[in-house]
Amino acid sequence: MTPTQRPDEPVPYREYPAVRGLQHLVSCLWENDVQDRQHTVIPDGCVDLIWLGSHGLVVAGADTGPRLSGPIPGPVCGIRLRPGAAGTVLGLPAAELRDQLVPVEHVWQRSGPELAETMAEADAERRLAILTEAVLVRRAAPDPVVVAAAARLSEPGARVSAAAADLGLSERQLNRRLLHSVGYGPKMLARVARLRRLIAAAEPSLALRALAAGYASQAHMNEEVRRLTGDSAGRFLKHASLTAA
């Protein structure tokens, strides 16, 4: 879950590294102080546990397109699971949560209600520590095949068939592993990785940025950006910044 932000707005969004022992599962912890207006969340291949104030503690599944969030009274915070970690941490196929915000009680039926209550009673300074502990006690391990696949699919020009063959899997087997651990299949994961490369690219023109990110053409980039962000490439890239994933 990655928010976009305009430069004329305050800078309320902050990221923090995972504690030692969780780096293999968690890409970051984050806080967002200002939620008094709607903002767009774009796909990043991750699943987040998010404290939404009066709306409680939710699990945000991997997005396949833009999603509007807010306004929400008060600050929010969350812990972002790396691609490949969601299935094992949550204890269910990540595909069941795709494009959804689900109360934590529906995912962790035994521990979820108590965790949500603890979050509600805690001071803001304690909430990230509580989320960290909630993931740490699961003693989960990501699927190493999925981690390797995600790395291969993040490379420019990556092909699903080649990634699967490199890992000794059929494309169907790779798709099944990714659906369980990430929430969607390899083609979607590769599209998300390409969008992140586009955000990170520093070339001076849209055409050169499209080429550097691995799009077939600027028209292809325009179409993909519209599908994944709901905005034109020019407007989106003017305000986009790369967050942890």
Side-chain angles (χ1 to χ4, degrees), residues 52-139:
L52 292 177
S54 60
H55 296 280
L57 183 61
V58 303
V59 181
D63 294 308
T64 59
R67 176 170 54 81
L68 290 177
S69 177
I72 299 167
V76 303
C77 64
I79 187 167
R80 182 166 302 144
L81 303 177
R82 292 187 183 278
T88 185
V89 170
L90 300 177
L92 82 173
E96 294 183 10
L97 304 174
R98 184 173 54 232
D99 292 321
Q100 297 186 66
L101 288 177
V102 180
V104 71
E105 299 93 324
H106 295 179
V107 178
W108 290 337
Q109 296 180 359
R110 293 185 177 180
S111 61
E114 181 179 354
L115 176 60
E117 183 177 349
T118 301
M119 290 287 289
E121 294 174 349
D123 295 334
E125 293 78 10
R126 279 279 302 146
R127 289 187 178 127
L128 289 181
I130 293 169
L131 289 176
T132 295
E133 180 64 22
V135 175
L136 193 61
V137 300
R138 307 290 292 186
R139 301 186 182 280

Side-chain angles (χ1 to χ4, degrees), residues 167-226:
L167 296 168
L169 300 174
S170 69
E171 291 186 46
R172 179 175 297 182
Q173 289 172 323
L174 179 59
N175 185 68
R176 186 164 57 247
R177 299 278 281 266
L178 285 167
L179 286 175
H180 180 85
S181 296
V182 177
Y184 41 63
K187 290 184 179 180
M188 183 66 202
L189 190 59
R191 290 173 62 201
V192 170
R194 188 167 52 198
L195 178 66
R196 290 178 59 79
R197 291 197 302 271
L198 180 68
I199 296 170
E203 279 69 16
S205 70
L206 287 179
L208 290 175
R209 287 183 78 162
L211 181 64
Y215 292 96
S217 64
Q218 186 173 344
H220 179 215
M221 176 199 69
N222 289 336
E223 181 183 1
E224 279 288 283
V225 170
R226 178 77 68 176

